[in-house]
Amino acid sequence: MKKFFQEFKEFALRGNVMDLAVGVIIGAAFQAVVTSLTDNLLAPIIGLFTGNNLDYLTVQVFGAEFKYGAFLTSIINFVITAFVIFLLVRGMNRLAGFGKKKEEEAATTKKCPFCFTEIPLEATKCPNCTADLPDTGAEPAKT
């Protein structure tokens, strides 16, 4: 049982788990801010054009009340949250790539002109067909 709790402790205190927990907590707090923005600012502004608050828009069908205004408010919350998260991830990706130059990978092999197999760039004799290779100006490998 002691080993089980030790494994759980290692899992729970691992860096990624803690980062995820912090992200979830901050995400929940941010969602509360977006919900407040939508409920307290955007819905009343839209309500100016519809005659009442967006949250209270309903339709009656065979005695059942459908609150489509609350649904639209939830969609607006989702779109705002998704857009802000997109901007954050995009910004973080740009920061992560900032200062990194695109490194062009230098060729490390060449094809033998006689047997067309891949050989090291520094080779002067093909190990497959034993042909002497023309000098390409490559520096021989230093050992």
Side-chain angles (χ1 to χ4, degrees), residues 59-90:
V59 65
Q60 295 267 340
V61 178
F62 300 114
E65 183 178 47
F66 294 95
K67 299 179 181 181
Y68 69 92
F71 179 70
L72 291 175
T73 300
S74 296
I75 290 175
I76 293 170
N77 286 345
F78 171 76
V79 169
I80 292 171
T81 303
F83 182 69
V84 171
I85 289 172
F86 164 74
L87 291 177
L88 287 173
V89 169
R90 184 174 175 235

Side-chain angles (χ1 to χ4, degrees), residues 112 114-115 124-133:
C112 173
F114 303 103
C115 66
T124 56
K125 186 179 261 311
C126 178
N128 297 311
C129 68
T130 67
D132 289 325
L133 300 172

Side-chain angles (χ1 to χ4, degrees), residues 1-136:
M1 192 65 152
K2 187 176 183 179
K3 184 178 177 184
F4 175 78
F5 285 117
Q6 180 64 29
E7 287 180 33
F8 178 73
K9 180 181 172 186
E10 288 174 9
F11 168 77
L13 297 179
R14 193 178 295 164
N16 293 343
V17 174
M18 296 304 289
D19 292 343
L20 179 62
V22 169
V24 167
I25 292 168
I26 290 174
F30 178 71
Q31 182 62 38
V33 170
V34 170
T35 300
S36 177
L37 169 77
T38 306
D39 291 345
N40 300 320
L41 293 177
L42 296 179
I45 290 172
I46 294 171
L48 291 174
F49 301 105
T50 61
N52 60 349
N53 194 325
L54 180 65
D55 286 342
Y56 303 123
L57 294 177
T58 61
V59 65
Q60 295 267 340
V61 178
F62 300 114
E65 183 178 47
F66 294 95
K67 299 179 181 181
Y68 69 92
F71 179 70
L72 291 175
T73 300
S74 296
I75 290 175
I76 293 170
N77 286 345
F78 171 76
V79 169
I80 292 171
T81 303
F83 182 69
V84 171
I85 289 172
F86 164 74
L87 291 177
L88 287 173
V89 169
R90 184 174 175 235
M92 292 303 290
N93 287 342
R94 285 191 177 182
L95 281 177
F98 188 72
K100 289 184 180 178
K101 293 181 180 177
K102 293 184 180 179
E103 299 175 10
E104 292 185 30
E105 297 200 16
T108 58
T109 61
K110 62 182 176 182
K111 284 194 175 190
C112 173
F114 303 103
C115 66
F116 303 106
T117 57
E118 292 285 326
I119 56 174
L121 193 60
E122 298 86 18
T124 56
K125 186 179 261 311
C126 178
N128 297 311
C129 68
T130 67
D132 289 325
L133 300 172
D135 186 23
T136 59

